[in-house]
Amino acid sequence: MNVIVCNTADEMDVIASKEFVDLISTKPNAILGLATGSTPIGLYKKLVQLHKDDKLDFSKVTTFNLDEYVGISQEHACSYHTFMHENLFKYVNLPKENINIPDGQAKNLEEECKKYDQKIEDAGGIDLQILGIGRNGHIGFNEPGTPFDAVTHIVTLDQGTREANSRFFNSIDEVPTKALSMGIKSIMHAQNIILMAKGADKAEAIYNTINGPVTPVVPASVLQLHPNATIILDKEAASRL
Ligand code: F6R
């Protein structure tokens, strides 16, 4: 694992955005794996700016998001469909048909999960996967205890994850209890992975990810086994290393 500790969040976003520029300039039809949450918002702002400056063309790019809630509509203000639209998609020239986010409203959720993995495989696999990390070490919505061989699946969200994500909703009661998430195996298939973490509340999870044993108790620790995983941290998230 390559670990980069930055002085500022902006420096983190610059480093991560350069990886996108390098990839898309050499492979215009790159397949990107995207995350939601607070962590990648600054990165997405950089990507939007690079696009505006004519340095990033998304016209042939395909994206796959990690996860989506079950039980709220795609139009809901807190859905990950809305998040991606508001933070990236509406500002760049990514064709609508190239955007993939699990459908948490699908009639048959099991079938939706199978179709999602198949679609990633049919696209040729993910070239660059962006990850955040939960305070409990989750990646995507793979909560502690998720087997490493899990593919895209239906997840019951941890109470702590629902509490952390309740900041986006009016109250914790509104936070869905279930989600669809790419599995750890699906994530580990990506050619390159960048995990970003900002803030002291991620320090323990980061310590366990990098220095702890590789264990499903800390899902992100699996990245120790990935040949091209980079962890980009601010000083606070790196404070326990
Ligand atoms: C989001 C996702 C989650 C988040 C994680 C950190 O698509 O898969 O694993 O990356 O919960 O969230 P933030 O960035 O809000 O701290």
Side-chain angles (χ1 to χ4, degrees), residues 34-41 44 65-68 80 83-84 129-143 161 164-165 167-168 181 187 196-198 201-202:
L34 300 178
T36 59
S38 308
T39 310
I41 290 178
Y44 294 154
N65 262 80
L66 282 168
D67 38 23
E68 178 57 287
Y80 287 168
F83 176 97
M84 289 310 300
Q129 175 70 56
I130 288 292
L131 297 175
I133 184 169
R135 288 183 287 202
N136 61 6
H138 75 210
I139 47 176
F141 272 138
N142 295 285
E143 301 287 24
T161 298
N165 289 6
R167 68 191 192 278
F168 299 112
S181 177
I187 292 170
M196 301 174 82
K198 298 175 180 173
D201 60 337
K202 302 292 174 67

Side-chain angles (χ1 to χ4, degrees), residues 3-182:
V3 180
I4 302 172
V5 181
C6 298
N7 286 316
T8 62
D10 190 67
E11 202 182 315
M12 293 173 62
D13 300 332
V14 169
I15 292 173
S17 65
K18 276 195 182 132
E19 295 297 321
F20 282 79
V21 173
D22 287 352
L23 172 65
I24 296 170
S25 60
T26 51
K27 186 178 179 195
N29 61 345
I31 314 293
L32 305 178
L34 300 178
T36 59
S38 308
T39 310
I41 290 178
L43 164 64
Y44 294 154
K45 284 202 174 112
K46 296 271 178 237
L47 299 185
V48 169
Q49 192 55 50
L50 286 159
H51 172 67
K52 279 192 185 147
D53 296 344
D54 281 335
K55 290 182 182 136
L56 207 43
D57 174 16
F58 288 89
S59 63
K60 297 191 177 70
V61 166
T62 296
T63 62
F64 286 90
N65 262 80
L66 282 168
D67 38 23
E68 178 57 287
Y69 291 116
V70 170
I72 57 173
S73 71
Q74 294 181 0
E75 294 73 33
H76 190 288
C78 299
S79 79
Y80 287 168
H81 280 76
T82 300
F83 176 97
M84 289 310 300
H85 183 72
E86 292 302 321
N87 287 289
L88 181 65
F89 296 155
K90 78 174 179 189
Y91 300 111
V92 298
N93 63 335
L94 184 64
K96 215 173 158 213
E97 59 277 16
N98 291 8
I99 294 172
N100 298 282
I101 304 178
D103 180 3
Q105 289 190 295
K107 282 215 176 76
N108 186 335
L109 293 172
E110 302 274 0
E111 198 53 40
E112 170 64 13
C113 292
K114 272 191 207 142
K115 276 201 299 200
Y116 202 69
D117 277 319
Q118 190 59 52
K119 218 168 174 190
I120 296 173
E121 206 182 309
D122 292 347
I126 289 170
D127 294 301
L128 175 59
Q129 175 70 56
I130 288 292
L131 297 175
I133 184 169
R135 288 183 287 202
N136 61 6
H138 75 210
I139 47 176
F141 272 138
N142 295 285
E143 301 287 24
T146 308
F148 286 163
D149 63 358
V151 290
T152 301
H153 61 296
I154 307 166
V155 175
T156 299
L157 298 176
D158 272 8
Q159 187 59 11
T161 298
R162 293 185 64 234
E163 273 161 24
N165 289 6
S166 66
R167 68 191 192 278
F168 299 112
F169 292 79
N170 291 322
S171 79
I172 185 153
D173 300 332
E174 286 183 17
V175 184
T177 54
K178 290 196 184 298
L180 300 184
S181 177
M182 273 169 61

